[in-house]
Amino acid sequence: RGKEELTTRRRSLVKAGNKCRREAARRSIENGDAVEGALAAADSSKDSTVPPLVQLAKLGPGDYVGEMGIFLDLPRAATVTADSNVLLAALSKSSFRTMCHVLSPQMEETIEAKVKGYMLRNIFELKSPFQQAVSAEDSDRMADNASIVKFDKDAVVFREGWESNHFYFVHSGTLSVEKNAPGGNKKSIGCLVPGDYFGEQAIVNGTKRLATITATSDAVLLEMPAERFQQCFESNPGIVAEFIVRMKGADVDLTALLACQTSRDAFAVYHGSRRNPSELKLYAEISDWEQDFEGMSLNSWKRAKDIVTKFLTKDNEEHYVELPDSIASIARECVSFDNDESVTAELFAGPKNEVYNRMMAIHDEFKKSQEFADLMTQLRAYDDVERELLA
């Protein structure tokens, strides 16, 4: 009897496997046709709205997929296609949640951490300055300090006048930003889309919310308490620099502009078309050297000598920056000796100030240009109204 049951189970498994292979083959053919059609449509016209297909990952034995959509009750975020015969074990939504909540609470925590990590990386991909500024380790730490929150359409995230307790990343959905106006009406001052973040200004300035944020569609956000926000961003000066540029907007000064990677890159392109591009590079290397200055050490002296050789020596035509001899000669003389006794933190103060003053003239022109307007749009910087009103 036991052999008969075993034989029956084997036959059932073989039958299920054959069915699975046939279904996989059918899907592969259908998806292959769909891919070819999409690519053909994309090639047929430059104005095609069909997005290109991008391979995100290859899955193999032991991998799992689909947990994020079920965990958040969201539509599938990617297409999974069998490119060989496969046999999968499928869990229904109810079975998956039962397993997480009842059978293995630890698994629920593991999947939640993974989902938050995915969400934050997706947000950073939409918000490229964050992707440049945040390391993978810092990203994971930020995800650990955040919570997933969902808002239905027309739900209020916070109202004008509320305490500033949280900072938010937008993962999906759209939200409106409104300010109370005379007569009990509300004035729209902007909208938020996936990749955006909000709530930082009230936290940084220690004020109450100065605007009302409302979901205009079902939205999924990552929420971070104010105290954890400060802890996470203390170790990410690149993100803080973007916050400053975003809040200052059209009033951003040159120092703040150069501290943010995205705005510095935009300024470098504009500056390089009008002045010697090596001036900005010299300023950046001096700033890095000053930040890492280790006192009268051999390492500081070697780095200082490299800067002088690269930028202040006429023989190096590619990077040479012409400065008044009274300014450049001091640095050249200090590193000309084979010792580090003359190297101080003020070694490059003269060249740095000279280059900064030159860039100031270009900075004033840059802020009147279309390139600067495009930069402010890219960073979603607050305009004259938003900087006064937005929480």
Side-chain angles (χ1 to χ4, degrees), residues 56-60 62-71 76-82 86 88-92 96 99 111 114-115 118:
L56 300 177
K58 293 278 288 185
L59 303 177
D63 289 329
Y64 58 92
V65 66
E67 76 284 358
M68 187 168 178
I70 290 180
F71 201 84
R76 296 299 187 190
T79 299
V80 178
T81 305
V86 296
L88 306 176
L91 285 174
S92 66
F96 175 81
M99 179 181 66
I111 292 177
K114 181 177 180 180
V115 168
Y118 280 156

Side-chain angles (χ1 to χ4, degrees), residues 104-209:
S104 181
Q106 186 176 3
M107 179 179 290
E108 181 180 6
E109 295 176 2
T110 300
I111 292 177
E112 181 177 5
K114 181 177 180 180
V115 168
K116 289 191 295 185
Y118 280 156
M119 291 174 66
L120 202 55
R121 283 193 289 274
N122 289 342
I123 290 169
F124 288 168
E125 287 175 4
L126 292 169
K127 194 72 175 176
S128 58
F130 276 4
Q131 191 178 27
Q132 296 171 4
V134 181
S135 66
E137 182 180 348
D138 288 338
S139 175
D140 290 340
R141 185 168 62 252
M142 291 170 65
D144 289 340
N145 286 316
S147 301
I148 301 170
V149 292
K150 294 191 291 185
F151 292 90
D152 296 332
K153 182 180 179 181
D154 298 327
V156 175
V157 180
F158 56 70
R159 294 188 182 278
E160 181 180 346
W162 284 11
E163 295 294 332
S164 305
N165 298 323
H166 295 89
F167 168 78
Y168 298 88
F169 286 109
V170 182
H171 176 260
S172 64
T174 56
L175 304 101
S176 66
V177 185
E178 297 176 313
K179 172 70 177 176
N180 291 338
N185 298 319
K186 291 187 179 295
K187 178 181 180 181
S188 175
I189 58 174
C191 65
L192 300 165
V193 298
D196 283 336
Y197 55 89
F198 61 95
E200 78 283 359
Q201 186 172 5
I203 294 176
V204 171
N205 294 333
T207 62
K208 293 185 178 181
R209 301 298 189 188

